[in-house]
Amino acid sequence: MTATITIITATEWPTVLAVFDRCNQSDGIVLPVWLDGDPPPTLVAARIGETVVGGAVMYGYFAIEAVIAVDPAWRRRGIGRQLVTQIAHWANARNGSWQMIADEAGPAVAPFATALQLRRVLVETLLELDPAQLPPLPPLPATWQTRLAEPSDSNAITTIIADAFGDPAEEVAAFVTDRIANPMHRFVIGEVAGTPVAVLRLLRSEQGIMITTFGVRRALQGQGYGRLLLLTTLHRLCEAGYQRIQIEVEEGNMPAYRLYRSCGFIPTRWYGVYKQAA
């Protein structure tokens, strides 16, 4: 059975999102759909005739991260395979790359990956803050300050991120410049005696706050500055009334996982990242 697969406009999104909702309810999963990101995702519909039987949410343009869904009533008809094939075609036409993201709790994930020869390359753990487990703020050093970044802080943020993650400075600079001017993103800086040493990014959406791009200058790691920045930010977010605060960590990154757990986060979901097997 051959489906017609097309990129759709925002006015058509509800029909595809309804398929995702049916999959979530049928499989007991939560597919990672963020519609108000920066840049916004691209949505794809798979149709048999006039009926939307599946779809995909694609993040990125050259490096595509895709989440696919097939209506439970239309499974085992090759629609998922056709969606993957089409996404791979778009990525290849752009000289880009692609990967799939799936909720590991889904019963169809493992057999689907095996059938399409997709290999799982990593697992991201999604954690959510339990305010009841948020520890109190420790006594703050007199030289410590936490503040929201301004556009003039772009260079300082770039330096911290490039140093912490070992990424090329020019790529980080473009990333920071693009996001620091967008109200959906706010960078928070931790300073020691006026010198920026740590940073994290708050991504706001309808689902709440996602904390990401969290790093400390390498020479100062292990001295508690990351924990100070995270705890201070969490207390301020809770005081501001935010109800849902999340963070992700790669499975196996135990130092970061232990830090997040000690700050009141609890694991809720595990998302596998899959690529075509070599």
Side-chain angles (χ1 to χ4, degrees), residues 84 98 113-121 273-278:
V84 170
W98 62 275
T114 299
L116 272 69
Q117 296 185 313
L118 301 176
R119 62 185 179 90
R120 188 174 65 192
V121 294
V273 178
Y274 292 82
K275 293 184 177 181
Q276 193 74 53

Side-chain angles (χ1 to χ4, degrees), residues 116-132:
L116 272 69
Q117 296 185 313
L118 301 176
R119 62 185 179 90
R120 188 174 65 192
V121 294
L122 63 89
V123 176
E124 293 270 4
T125 302
L126 178 68
L127 302 99
E128 186 166 328
L129 181 69
D130 178 359

